[in-house]
């Protein structure tokens, strides 16, 4: 027994089931986690599970949306200082959340994932949009040019691809990731500035 209280408020019980699913996502892909796995981890009955979720699919989506909320929270953790310092802190926040929810993060971004839905796609888009807003804020840009926006959106794709590869291969030291990814942004911004006079050298 884990010492969970027998009685919980509906909201607390729902969150406990989501937490149980996320714990399991840490060791296996979400599509491989069953209702039996979740009720065993949460120490509840099958009827109680279905009191809070109409299906396993609903719980999977809610759990993965929790991952995207964590990514947004990670992006919010900006430090004081110059843009590079602040952006590296934000990237570290992303790395921390992606690593903590490894299987869930991979399922969210993997092409053709059976867990992907319009809801999870919208949640990922929200993370991407928040990343672009954060960079613009760190750089002090309120009216970005179309080419600058394109650059930042391309960089978010670089970050996602890099994190997916890193989570599955671990071929690069974790402590090198944030600096390397911010250096990628610096290089992309420098290239964009060479093609768009409205974009200054900002990092």
């Amino acid at each position: 027994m884990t010492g969970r209280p027998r009685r919980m408020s509906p909201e607390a019980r729902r969150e406990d089931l989501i937490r149980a699913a996320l714990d399991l996502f840490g060791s296996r892909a979400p599509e491989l986690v069953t209702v039996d796995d979740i009720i065993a981890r949460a120490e509840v009955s099958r009827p109680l599970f279905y009191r809070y979720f109409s299906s396993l699919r609903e719980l999977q989506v809610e759990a993965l949306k929790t991952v995207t909320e964590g990514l947004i929270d990670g992006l919010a953790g900006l430090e004081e200082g110059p843009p590079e310092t602040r952006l590296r802190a934000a990237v570290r926040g992303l790395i921390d959340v992606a690593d903590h929810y490894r299987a869930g993060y991979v399922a969210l971004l993997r092409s053709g994932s059976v867990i992907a839905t319009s809801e999870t796609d919208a949640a990922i888009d929200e993370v991407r949009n928040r990343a672009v807003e954060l960079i613009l804020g760190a750089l002090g840009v309120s009216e970005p040019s179309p080419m600058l926006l394109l650059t930042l959106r391309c960089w978010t794709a670089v970050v996602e691809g890099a994190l997916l590869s890193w989570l599955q291969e671990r071929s690069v030291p974790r402590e090198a990731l944030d600096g390397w990814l911010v250096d990628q942004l610096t290089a992309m911004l420098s290239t964009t500035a060479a093609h768009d006079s409205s974009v200054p050298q900002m990092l």
Side-chain angles (χ1 to χ4, degrees), residues 14-87:
R14 184 179 175 87
E15 290 176 356
D16 195 54
L17 287 165
I18 290 173
R19 188 161 47 247
L22 288 172
D23 286 345
L24 292 164
F25 292 174
S27 59
R28 72 189 85 163
E31 58 264 35
L32 300 180
V33 175
T34 67
V35 171
D36 287 337
D37 294 329
I38 293 166
I39 63 176
R41 176 62 64 94
E43 297 181 350
V44 300
S45 66
R46 182 177 284 266
L48 187 62
F49 174 91
Y50 285 107
R51 183 183 303 173
Y52 293 96
F53 296 97
S54 62
S55 65
L56 176 60
R57 179 81 169 182
E58 182 186 354
L59 175 58
Q60 289 169 332
V61 170
E62 288 302 312
L64 293 180
K65 285 168 68 177
T66 298
V67 177
T68 62
E69 289 168 3
L71 292 169
I72 291 173
D73 288 344
L75 283 171
L78 283 179
E79 296 179 358
E80 295 299 322
E84 182 177 359
T85 298
R86 302 174 72 199
L87 291 173

Side-chain angles (χ1 to χ4, degrees), residues 74-201:
L75 283 171
L78 283 179
E79 296 179 358
E80 295 299 322
E84 182 177 359
T85 298
R86 302 174 72 199
L87 291 173
R88 287 187 66 164
V91 173
R92 281 197 300 273
L94 280 179
I95 295 169
D96 288 344
V97 175
D99 196 21
H100 182 72
Y101 296 123
R102 178 185 174 277
Y105 182 83
V106 172
L108 274 170
L109 296 178
R110 189 174 54 210
S111 176
S113 170
V114 300
I115 303 302
T117 68
S118 59
E119 287 182 273
T120 57
D121 288 346
I124 282 293
D125 283 342
E126 185 179 353
V127 175
R128 293 167 178 157
N129 292 336
R130 173 60 184 143
V132 170
E133 291 172 4
L134 179 148
I135 298 166
L136 292 174
L139 299 176
V141 176
S142 58
E143 296 184 6
S145 69
M147 189 168 284
L148 175 56
L149 281 176
L150 182 60
T151 301
L152 299 184
R153 288 167 183 157
C154 288
W155 181 73
T156 63
V158 169
V159 173
E160 288 175 2
L163 288 181
L164 277 177
S165 295
W166 179 75
L167 289 169
Q168 296 174 90
E169 301 168 6
R170 304 282 180 169
S171 56
V172 175
R174 177 181 178 137
E175 57 272 16
L177 275 179
D178 61 321
W180 177 73
L181 286 169
V182 172
D183 285 348
Q184 294 287 326
L185 177 59
T186 302
M188 292 174 73
L189 288 172
S190 295
T191 300
T192 298
H195 292 266
D196 184 346
S197 60
S198 69
V199 179
Q201 297 285 348

